Amino acid sequence: MNEVEKILAELEKKNYSPIYYLYGEEPFFIDVISDYIERNVLSDDEKAFNQQIVYGKDITIDALIHYAREYPMMAERRVIIVKEAKELNRTIANLEPYVKNPSPTTLLVICYKYGKIDGKTKLAKELNKYVSLESKKLYESDTLKWITKYLKDNNYTITQVASQLLVSFLGIDLGRIANELNKLKIILPKGTEITPSHIEENIGISKDFNVFELQNAIGKKEFPKAMQIIKYFNENQKDNAMPMITENLYQYFKKLFIYSSSIGKADAELAREMGINPFFLKDYKVAAMNYPLKKISFCMEVIKQTDLKSKGVESGSISYYDLLKELIVKIIF
């Protein structure tokens, strides 16, 4: 059981803490806990007088403490949720007296996304005496595992290719991925194994023309297929932004470099270092035969140059399609 599940389990048992300090670079897990508290701690009738959602940019520390010190009205407790708490950074140290002696009838939830309070401060040390969660960004391999578990918990499964397709297109943004998976859960009956066809039909990510298939075509040096894919990208630029393509290709060659540099390692260890599912090692084995280390380094440099050109650096008037075509030719030949 991970930290998020432990916190949720205690909340379900109604074992409440007076303070919840939720911080870090991954907003999804912060939202999971704060949303649960917002929905479940108080009844609908109790919420009217005892639950407040405030925002860091709109409230002072003095006002926040005042709200937290108020007695509940016709309820056992109050809930104060501070969203965008990072906006309070300049004055948040003034919250220390309250944290040292919090109201036993208030749940104060501090949502400090995309950062954290300096751990050396007295406030941070006091906060860590209560329920705290550092919500870290997941690596790609962890995101793939998360997708599998998220669906399993809701009585669905997903193929490895479909899972990779989602991550290749949406990145490691758990909020976006969860939104798309939730759409599928509405459409598909429980027990369904989600495939690339389901994703194409219901989310709009082509199962044949996507950055994951472009990587495979490049790895196998299948130039005609790679050209077909970038032509599709050119016709659907809104859904295939250049930064997404270059980032995925760069990470692909970075993983290929690790694969080619790691001689004699067991598959499980190698997959872990690359941050991929062992299922896909066979594809990297094929690519490694086509791309020696020197060529891999060259490809990574070319991808970085293409990314810069796409952002207007020494690009002249080159079009989206011509930029991608130039990139594919340099990589494959």
Side-chain angles (χ1 to χ4, degrees), residues 213-255:
E213 291 301 327
L214 178 60
Q215 291 171 6
N216 284 337
I218 288 171
K220 296 173 183 176
K221 289 205 167 186
E222 294 177 341
F223 182 68
K225 184 176 180 181
M227 291 303 296
Q228 276 187 312
I229 293 171
I230 67 168
K231 284 178 182 176
Y232 176 86
F233 286 176
N234 186 53
E235 293 165 2
N236 299 272
Q237 291 184 31
K238 184 179 177 182
D239 294 325
N240 297 280
M242 187 67 75
M244 182 272 290
I245 297 169
T246 53
E247 172 64 18
N248 272 278
L249 290 181
Y250 187 84
Q251 292 301 324
Y252 171 74
F253 277 101
K254 184 177 177 181
K255 292 167 189 171

Side-chain angles (χ1 to χ4, degrees), residues 23-279:
Y23 64 96
E25 299 300 323
E26 177 50 72
F28 181 80
F29 297 119
I30 295 173
D31 287 338
V32 166
I33 294 172
S34 64
D35 288 350
Y36 182 91
I37 292 172
E38 182 179 345
R39 290 194 309 267
N40 297 287
V41 171
L42 300 177
S43 70
D44 289 341
D45 290 338
E46 292 171 335
K47 288 175 185 176
F49 296 104
N50 298 288
Q51 182 161 286
Q52 288 177 277
I53 313 297
V54 299
Y55 292 82
K57 63 181 179 180
D58 298 325
I59 194 167
T60 65
I61 293 296
D62 286 344
L64 177 58
I65 293 174
H66 173 75
Y67 291 148
R69 290 282 184 211
E70 287 184 347
Y71 290 105
M73 185 180 297
M74 294 179 290
E76 292 183 19
R77 57 186 58 84
R78 286 171 54 74
V79 172
I80 311 295
I81 299 175
V82 187
K83 298 191 175 185
E84 299 174 10
K86 191 177 180 182
E87 297 287 338
L88 284 166
N89 192 46
R90 291 183 181 178
T91 58
I92 201 164
N94 296 329
L95 189 60
E96 184 198 346
Y98 177 83
V99 175
K100 279 186 173 180
N101 182 31
S103 169
T105 57
T106 295
L107 272 68
L108 176 62
V109 185
I110 301 169
C111 302
Y112 202 101
K113 294 179 180 179
Y114 309 111
K116 63 180 180 179
I117 297 166
D118 186 346
K120 297 177 182 177
T121 62
K122 292 180 180 179
L123 174 60
K125 292 172 182 176
E126 290 295 330
L127 284 169
N128 286 323
K129 294 177 181 178
Y130 303 96
V131 174
S132 64
L133 172 77
E134 182 176 6
S135 185
K136 297 179 180 178
K137 276 286 185 188
L138 299 185
Y139 293 109
E140 182 178 311
S141 57
D142 295 322
T143 303
L144 293 168
K145 292 175 185 175
W146 177 84
I147 290 172
T148 300
K149 186 179 185 309
Y150 184 80
L151 289 170
K152 183 180 179 181
D153 290 345
N154 290 274
N155 199 22
Y156 291 86
T157 57
I158 187 168
T159 68
Q160 291 164 329
V161 173
S163 184
Q164 185 67 56
L165 182 56
L166 279 172
V167 173
S168 295
F169 190 80
L170 300 173
I172 55 173
D173 186 332
L174 299 189
R176 290 184 67 197
I177 294 171
N179 284 339
E180 299 302 337
L181 293 178
N182 290 338
K183 291 178 188 176
L184 292 176
K185 282 160 50 184
I186 293 170
I187 297 165
L188 303 173
K190 286 187 180 295
T192 300
E193 180 179 56
I194 296 168
T195 66
S197 294
H198 289 130
I199 291 172
E200 180 175 44
E201 292 164 11
N202 299 293
I203 297 178
I205 305 172
S206 172
K207 64 183 176 63
D208 298 314
F209 301 102
N210 56 73
V211 72
F212 178 57
E213 291 301 327
L214 178 60
Q215 291 171 6
N216 284 337
I218 288 171
K220 296 173 183 176
K221 289 205 167 186
E222 294 177 341
F223 182 68
K225 184 176 180 181
M227 291 303 296
Q228 276 187 312
I229 293 171
I230 67 168
K231 284 178 182 176
Y232 176 86
F233 286 176
N234 186 53
E235 293 165 2
N236 299 272
Q237 291 184 31
K238 184 179 177 182
D239 294 325
N240 297 280
M242 187 67 75
M244 182 272 290
I245 297 169
T246 53
E247 172 64 18
N248 272 278
L249 290 181
Y250 187 84
Q251 292 301 324
Y252 171 74
F253 277 101
K254 184 177 177 181
K255 292 167 189 171
L256 186 57
F257 188 92
I258 294 171
Y259 181 94
S260 298
S261 304
S262 305
I263 299 171
K265 290 188 177 179
D267 284 357
E269 182 183 2
L270 184 54
R272 186 167 57 252
E273 287 189 13
M274 294 170 68
I276 65 169
N277 189 307
F279 175 83

